Amino acid sequence: MPRKAKKTIGVLTGGGDCPGLNAVIRAVVKTAITQYGWNAIGVVDGYKGLIEKKAVRLRRADVSGILMRGGTILGTSNTADPFHLPAGRGRTRDVSAQVLRNARALGIDVLVAIGGDGTMHIAEGLRKLGLPLVGVPKTIDNDLSETDVTFGFNTATQIISDAIDNLHSTAMSHHRVMVVETMGRYAGWLALVGGLAGGGDIILIPEVPFRIEAVCDEVMRRSRQGRRFSIVVAAEGARPRGGLMVVGRRVEGSPDPIRLGGISAVIAAEIEKATKLEARNVVLGHLQRGGSPTAYDRILATRFGAGAMHLIAEERFGEMVCLKGAEIRGVSIERAIRKRKTVPRDHPLLRIADGLGTRFGDDGLL
Ligand code: F6P
């Protein structure tokens, strides 16, 4: 590949962390230096680092040995939106011009923004103001459009599946109903894929609003057949038909301040009341975002990081790397953030699970 003029690549990780971020950073820095002869600097704590002009030089040695590490060596922030920076008393201010000045002062020629939809929305805003950048899609939720999958998702589903395996034995011993709550925000990918991998009996996702009566009927049906335990996997965004999602907290200054959480406790209480079977709930929470990435995520993250450098070499600014089938490609960030990727009602996994007898708390799924 022909070498371009010497550039300085700035890389940041924004929003919630996710396994594989360090693998992307490593691939960005190593490819930039080795393949293209560019320099790399790491922006500290996501967009906060651009607001406060904080960055560090990244050499090959700085990213050596981080492939298997969870989290992000650069730090991250989910409350540093330069277009809506919290300014006290519920007000916000726009510091995007300052961000552009700081990026220039730090010597950044092109920015690599690694993040989910919040990070990509901000990136798109900065691109429109003239900052050359490319995006790398990250989120355990797998809810970003225009990429088949985001890195971090595979690791999180493995963690969910392992957790369900562990819960099976205690559920069986105590003849209990265990309600396991996964993350995923408004998309059911984590609960669906993690729940199926763990052999969950009932899976509740936001895309298929449930009827608690249908959930209890299935638990009772299993009980009558001698299966005196049940595993219910509920996405944090699962909601009853005609009802609302359960909000756990608000994080002011975050691109989406709503944090879901708590539905599993509600469901467990209702099951116990209606069936008289003992029920417990387990919220997997941030365990799903921690720890070492799976081999699949390490490879995907590495391909994304290297792919981002190739986009820069071709000056395809404003694009985000994505996985389409077996190929790494580029897609406009603007297009990628237009729509959230949720589980379609005709998704093959729903059909397969339905055929196996997995229930979704809805009588009319297919
Ligand atoms: O988007 C990733 C995610 O882990 C969601 O699944 C979850 O709803 C949210 O972030 C939790 O955010 P926080 O780390 O701010 O609690």
Side-chain angles (χ1 to χ4, degrees):
M1 209 162 291
R3 292 204 164 182
K4 303 273 162 170
K6 190 104 174 163
K7 288 188 203 306
T8 294
I9 310 300
V11 54
L12 67 77
T13 51
D17 70 341
C18 149
L21 284 169
N22 286 326
V24 179
I25 296 166
R26 172 179 175 271
V28 162
V29 172
K30 289 196 168 186
T31 309
I33 295 172
T34 309
Q35 186 165 350
Y36 292 106
W38 300 332
N39 294 323
I41 62 174
V43 178
V44 175
D45 292 344
Y47 290 111
K48 190 159 181 259
L50 283 181
I51 295 167
E52 297 174 358
K53 218 198 308 173
K54 284 192 187 148
V56 289
R57 181 79 191 267
L58 291 175
R59 298 182 175 84
R60 285 183 63 93
D62 300 310
V63 294
S64 175
I66 66 169
L67 180 61
M68 73 299 285
R69 277 169 57 186
T72 161
I73 59 163
L74 295 176
T76 185
S77 163
N78 63 5
T79 53
D81 177 349
F83 295 97
H84 305 95
L85 194 66
R89 295 198 200 125
R91 286 171 308 165
T92 62
R93 60 200 176 99
D94 183 342
V95 295
S96 53
Q98 183 183 327
V99 160
L100 259 66
R101 276 197 305 277
N102 287 347
R104 265 195 300 275
L106 290 166
I108 295 174
D109 296 309
V110 186
L111 182 70
V112 180
I114 313 171
D117 59 350
T119 304
M120 291 306 147
H121 267 100
I122 296 167
E124 178 59 11
L126 295 173
R127 182 198 69 80
K128 283 191 181 135
L129 293 178
L131 182 64
L133 54 80
V134 298
V136 178
K138 160 244 69 161
T139 167
I140 62 164
D141 304 336
N142 196 34
D143 60 352
L144 265 174
S145 290
E146 299 299 325
T147 182
D148 292 354
V149 68
T150 50
F151 70 86
F153 176 67
N154 182 268
T155 306
T157 53
Q158 186 63 55
I159 292 168
I160 294 166
S161 162
D162 289 346
I164 298 172
D165 287 353
N166 290 344
L167 289 170
H168 254 107
S169 56
T170 175
M172 281 172 84
S173 309
H174 286 269
H175 318 298
R176 278 177 177 158
V177 181
M178 301 297 297
V179 186
V180 189
E181 181 172 320
T182 72
M183 282 186 165
R185 295 207 301 170
Y186 311 108
W189 296 108
L190 281 175
L192 176 62
V193 177
L196 279 178
D201 305 301
I202 301 168
I203 298 177
L204 307 177
I205 61 174
E207 295 85 348
V208 185
F210 64 87
R211 279 195 320 109
I212 193 67
E213 296 80 9
V215 174
C216 294
D217 285 353
E218 175 61 9
V219 166
M220 285 309 293
R221 193 191 63 77
R222 286 175 52 80
S223 176
R224 277 195 301 275
Q225 289 190 346
R227 291 199 295 265
R228 295 171 61 205
F229 75 97
S230 288
I231 304 278
V232 181
V233 182
E236 62 183 359
R239 63 194 163 98
R241 203 188 285 173
L244 297 174
M245 294 179 183
V246 178
V247 175
R249 64 164 69 210
R250 287 181 64 87
V251 180
E252 295 314 330
S254 174
D256 177 0
I258 302 292
R259 292 293 180 276
L260 299 172
I263 186 67
S264 59
V266 176
I267 294 171
E270 293 195 15
I271 291 176
E272 200 164 77
K273 195 165 147 216
T275 65
K276 309 288 180 247
L277 296 172
E278 219 185 349
R280 293 285 190 275
N281 76 299
V282 180
V283 181
L284 296 181
H286 291 83
L287 283 173
Q288 294 158 98
R289 286 209 327 231
S292 186
T294 56
Y296 178 91
D297 276 337
R298 293 181 199 190
I299 297 297
L300 183 60
T302 299
R303 293 178 76 195
F304 275 173
M309 293 305 95
H310 305 330
L311 286 183
I312 293 174
E314 292 171 16
E315 307 205 331
R316 289 166 60 182
F317 305 131
E319 291 194 24
M320 179 189 92
V321 286
C322 62
L323 180 72
K324 291 276 182 200
E327 270 179 51
I328 302 293
R329 297 198 195 147
V331 60
S332 83
I333 295 177
E334 192 184 16
R335 190 183 164 96
I337 58 178
R338 244 181 249 160
K339 201 167 149 269
R340 176 179 295 127
K341 184 178 72 183
T342 53
V343 179
R345 287 289 282 234
D346 61 352
H347 193 276
L349 270 185
L350 288 177
R351 194 172 294 278
I352 291 169
D354 192 64
L356 294 176
T358 309
R359 292 291 161 243
F360 291 88
D362 179 289
D363 332 273
L365 174 63
L366 299 168

Coordinates of all heavy atoms in Angstrom, one line a residue, residues 12-49:
L12 N -9.7 8.1 20.4 CA -10.4 8.2 21.7 C -11.5 7.1 21.8 O -12.0 6.6 20.8 CB -11.1 9.6 21.9 CG -12.2 10.0 21.0 CD1 -13.6 9.4 21.3 CD2 -12.4 11.5 21.1
T13 N -11.8 6.7 23.0 CA -12.9 5.8 23.3 C -13.9 6.5 24.1 O -13.7 7.2 25.1 CB -12.3 4.6 24.1 OG1 -11.6 5.1 25.3 CG2 -11.4 3.7 23.3
G14 N -15.2 6.5 23.6 CA -16.3 7.3 24.2 C -17.4 6.4 24.7 O -17.5 5.2 24.2
G15 N -18.2 6.9 25.6 CA -19.3 6.1 26.1 C -18.9 5.0 27.0 O -17.8 4.9 27.5
G16 N -19.8 4.0 27.2 CA -19.6 2.9 28.1 C -18.4 2.1 27.6 O -18.3 1.9 26.4
D17 N -17.6 1.5 28.5 CA -16.5 0.6 28.0 C -17.1 -0.7 27.5 O -18.3 -1.0 27.6 CB -15.5 0.5 29.1 CG -16.0 -0.4 30.2 OD1 -17.2 -0.6 30.3 OD2 -15.1 -0.9 31.0
C18 N -16.2 -1.5 27.0 CA -16.6 -2.8 26.3 C -15.4 -3.6 26.0 O -14.4 -3.0 25.6 CB -17.4 -2.3 25.1 SG -17.5 -3.3 23.7
P19 N -15.5 -4.9 26.2 CA -14.3 -5.7 25.9 C -13.9 -5.6 24.4 O -14.7 -5.7 23.5 CB -14.8 -7.2 26.2 CG -16.0 -7.0 27.1 CD -16.6 -5.7 26.7
G20 N -12.6 -5.4 24.2 CA -12.1 -5.3 22.8 C -11.6 -3.8 22.5 O -11.0 -3.6 21.5
L21 N -11.9 -2.9 23.4 CA -11.5 -1.5 23.1 C -10.0 -1.4 23.0 O -9.4 -0.8 22.1 CB -12.0 -0.5 24.2 CG -13.4 -0.2 24.2 CD1 -13.8 0.5 25.5 CD2 -13.7 0.7 23.0
N22 N -9.3 -2.1 23.9 CA -7.8 -2.1 23.9 C -7.3 -2.7 22.6 O -6.2 -2.3 22.1 CB -7.2 -2.7 25.1 CG -7.4 -1.8 26.3 OD1 -7.4 -0.6 26.2 ND2 -7.6 -2.4 27.5
A23 N -8.0 -3.8 22.1 CA -7.5 -4.4 20.9 C -7.6 -3.5 19.7 O -6.8 -3.5 18.8 CB -8.4 -5.7 20.7
V24 N -8.7 -2.6 19.7 CA -8.8 -1.7 18.6 C -7.7 -0.6 18.7 O -7.0 -0.3 17.7 CB -10.2 -0.9 18.7 CG1 -10.2 0.1 17.5 CG2 -11.3 -1.9 18.6
I25 N -7.5 -0.1 19.9 CA -6.4 0.9 20.1 C -5.1 0.4 19.7 O -4.3 1.0 18.9 CB -6.3 1.3 21.6 CG1 -7.6 2.0 22.1 CG2 -5.1 2.2 21.9 CD1 -7.8 2.1 23.6
R26 N -4.8 -0.9 20.0 CA -3.5 -1.5 19.7 C -3.4 -1.6 18.1 O -2.4 -1.3 17.6 CB -3.5 -2.9 20.3 CG -2.3 -3.8 19.8 CD -2.5 -5.1 20.6 NE -1.5 -6.1 20.2 CZ -1.7 -7.0 19.2 NH1 -2.8 -6.9 18.5 NH2 -0.7 -7.9 18.9
A27 N -4.5 -2.1 17.5 CA -4.4 -2.2 16.0 C -4.3 -0.9 15.3 O -3.5 -0.7 14.4 CB -5.7 -2.9 15.5
V28 N -5.0 0.2 15.9 CA -4.9 1.5 15.3 C -3.4 2.0 15.4 O -2.8 2.4 14.4 CB -5.8 2.5 16.0 CG1 -5.4 3.9 15.8 CG2 -7.3 2.3 15.6
V29 N -2.9 1.9 16.6 CA -1.5 2.4 16.8 C -0.5 1.7 16.0 O 0.4 2.2 15.3 CB -1.2 2.4 18.3 CG1 0.3 2.8 18.5 CG2 -2.1 3.4 19.0
K30 N -0.6 0.3 16.0 CA 0.5 -0.5 15.4 C 0.4 -0.3 13.8 O 1.4 -0.2 13.1 CB 0.3 -1.9 15.8 CG 0.8 -2.2 17.2 CD 1.0 -3.6 17.5 CE 1.8 -3.8 18.8 NZ 2.2 -5.1 19.1
T31 N -0.9 -0.3 13.3 CA -1.0 -0.1 11.9 C -0.6 1.3 11.4 O 0.1 1.4 10.4 CB -2.5 -0.4 11.4 OG1 -2.9 -1.6 12.0 CG2 -2.6 -0.5 9.9
A32 N -1.0 2.3 12.2 CA -0.6 3.6 11.9 C 0.9 3.8 11.8 O 1.5 4.3 10.8 CB -1.1 4.6 12.9
I33 N 1.6 3.2 12.8 CA 3.1 3.4 12.8 C 3.8 2.5 11.8 O 4.6 2.9 11.0 CB 3.6 3.1 14.3 CG1 3.0 4.2 15.2 CG2 5.1 3.1 14.3 CD1 3.3 3.9 16.7
T34 N 3.4 1.2 11.8 CA 4.1 0.2 11.1 C 3.8 0.3 9.6 O 4.7 0.3 8.7 CB 3.8 -1.2 11.6 OG1 4.0 -1.2 13.0 CG2 4.7 -2.2 11.0
Q35 N 2.5 0.3 9.3 CA 2.1 0.2 7.8 C 2.2 1.6 7.2 O 2.5 1.6 6.0 CB 0.7 -0.4 7.7 CG 0.3 -0.6 6.3 CD -0.9 -1.5 6.1 OE1 -1.4 -2.1 7.1 NE2 -1.4 -1.6 4.9
Y36 N 1.8 2.6 7.9 CA 1.7 3.9 7.2 C 2.8 4.9 7.6 O 2.9 6.0 7.0 CB 0.3 4.5 7.5 CG -0.7 3.7 6.7 CD1 -1.6 2.9 7.4 CD2 -0.8 3.8 5.3 CE1 -2.6 2.1 6.8 CE2 -1.8 3.0 4.7 CZ -2.7 2.2 5.4 OH -3.6 1.5 4.7
G37 N 3.5 4.7 8.7 CA 4.6 5.6 9.1 C 4.0 6.9 9.8 O 4.7 7.9 9.7
W38 N 2.8 6.8 10.3 CA 2.2 7.9 11.0 C 2.5 7.9 12.5 O 3.1 7.0 13.0 CB 0.7 7.9 10.8 CG 0.2 7.9 9.4 CD1 0.8 8.5 8.3 CD2 -1.0 7.3 8.9 NE1 0.1 8.3 7.2 CE2 -1.1 7.6 7.5 CE3 -2.1 6.7 9.4 CZ2 -2.1 7.2 6.7 CZ3 -3.2 6.3 8.7 CH2 -3.2 6.5 7.3
N39 N 2.1 9.0 13.1 CA 2.2 9.1 14.6 C 0.8 8.8 15.2 O -0.2 9.1 14.5 CB 2.6 10.5 15.1 CG 4.1 10.8 14.6 OD1 4.9 9.9 14.6 ND2 4.3 12.0 14.3
A40 N 0.8 8.4 16.4 CA -0.5 8.2 17.1 C -0.5 8.9 18.5 O 0.5 8.8 19.2 CB -0.8 6.7 17.2
I41 N -1.6 9.5 18.8 CA -1.8 10.0 20.2 C -3.1 9.5 20.7 O -4.1 9.4 19.9 CB -1.6 11.5 20.3 CG1 -2.7 12.3 19.5 CG2 -0.3 12.0 19.9 CD1 -2.6 13.8 19.8
G42 N -3.2 9.3 22.0 CA -4.4 8.8 22.6 C -5.1 10.0 23.4 O -4.4 10.7 24.2
V43 N -6.3 10.2 23.1 CA -7.1 11.3 23.8 C -7.6 10.7 25.1 O -8.2 9.6 25.1 CB -8.2 11.8 22.9 CG1 -9.0 12.9 23.7 CG2 -7.7 12.4 21.6
V44 N -7.4 11.3 26.2 CA -7.8 10.8 27.5 C -9.2 11.0 27.8 O -9.8 12.1 27.7 CB -6.9 11.4 28.6 CG1 -7.3 11.0 30.0 CG2 -5.4 11.1 28.3
D45 N -9.9 9.9 28.3 CA -11.3 10.0 28.8 C -12.3 10.5 27.7 O -13.2 11.3 28.0 CB -11.4 10.9 30.0 CG -10.7 10.3 31.2 OD1 -10.5 9.0 31.2 OD2 -10.5 11.0 32.2
G46 N -12.2 10.0 26.5 CA -13.2 10.3 25.5 C -13.1 11.7 25.1 O -12.1 12.4 25.1
Y47 N -14.3 12.3 24.8 CA -14.4 13.7 24.3 C -14.0 14.6 25.4 O -13.6 15.8 25.1 CB -15.8 14.0 23.8 CG -16.1 13.3 22.5 CD1 -17.1 12.3 22.5 CD2 -15.5 13.6 21.3 CE1 -17.4 11.6 21.3 CE2 -15.8 13.0 20.1 CZ -16.7 12.0 20.1 OH -17.0 11.3 18.9
K48 N -14.0 14.2 26.7 CA -13.6 15.0 27.8 C -12.1 15.5 27.5 O -11.8 16.6 27.8 CB -13.7 14.2 29.1 CG -13.5 15.0 30.3 CD -14.1 14.2 31.5 CE -13.9 14.9 32.8 NZ -12.8 14.4 33.6
G49 N -11.3 14.5 27.0 CA -9.9 14.9 26.7 C -9.8 15.9 25.7 O -8.8 16.7 25.7

